[in-house]
Each structure stands twice: as structure tokens, then as C-alpha cells.
Amino acid sequence: MKRLLSMAVSAFAGTPSAPAVSGTTASFKVYGNCGMCRKRIQKAAESAGATEADWNSQTKIITVTFDDAATNLQLIHDAIAAAGHDTEQATAPDAVYSRLHSCCRYERRKH
């Protein structure tokens, strides 16, 4: 038993711990309706450099964490809009919005 415990301790002693996630966290409104929207919105945010993205379909709020040395909030807004979802600071192109699945077509703000 002592030998087994010693081997387990040795195995973990040299394992580096994961670095702590640091960065800027921001929340903002993104228009959408459903789970498909959630997946698309979060993927777009991550494609623009967000290390974490969580969109709530009830509140329409996304919370993103990102390294501001690698990206910025406007790039994240722009990527989400390019995927078809209006945000507080960026409007999706009409052509992209019109290609969203019918359940994903939210009521658009006047622009």
C-alpha cells in the first residue's frame, strides 16, 4: 500500500497545473431565440477570440471572457453580427439574417 501511494504521489508531483484563466469579462445583449442561436452566437464569439462565451436565451445576455491583448470587444460584436445576430453595437447583414432558420429569426430592432 505504501508503495502504491508513493507511486501516485510521484506521478502527480511533476504535473504542472493549468494556468489560471485571466482576461477581461464583459456582458452585453445579443438577439436570438433558441438553442441553435446559442450555439451559433457562442461559436462566433469564440472565433473572434473569446476564451469563454455563455449566452442566455431568456435574458438575451452573453458573457464573454477574452484576453484584451489578443482581441477586443468590438471584434466579438462584429463576429456575432456576421453570424446573423444583432448585438448592442453591431447589426447583422440582412442577407445573413434572412438565411437563419425560421425559429432563429428574432424581432429585429429598427436600424
Side-chain angles (χ1 to χ4, degrees):
M1 182 69 168
K2 245 184 187 178
R3 184 172 178 208
L4 184 59
L5 182 58
S6 176
M7 287 177 10
V9 170
S10 295
F12 289 106
T15 306
S17 60
V21 175
S22 64
T24 302
T25 298
S27 297
F28 55 91
K29 188 167 287 252
V30 178
Y31 296 89
N33 296 322
C34 65
M36 286 190 297
C37 295
R38 182 177 197 265
K39 189 173 184 177
R40 186 180 312 105
I41 290 165
Q42 291 176 177
K43 183 177 179 181
E46 291 167 355
S47 76
T51 53
E52 294 180 31
D54 185 36
W55 181 73
N56 182 304
S57 63
Q58 298 298 314
T59 63
K60 312 295 186 215
I61 299 293
I62 189 169
T63 301
V64 295
T65 302
F66 59 96
D67 177 355
D68 53 8
T71 191
N72 64 58
L73 201 50
Q74 189 60 53
L75 289 175
I76 295 171
H77 277 272
D78 292 345
I80 293 170
H85 296 274
D86 294 346
T87 76
E88 295 173 344
Q89 295 182 13
T91 302
D94 291 336
V96 177
Y97 171 81
S98 68
R99 287 193 303 265
L100 293 176
H101 189 274
S102 60
C103 74
C104 297
R105 290 193 201 124
Y106 49 92
E107 188 173 330
R108 295 189 87 181
R109 332 174 259 156
K110 304 287 187 235
H111 38 230

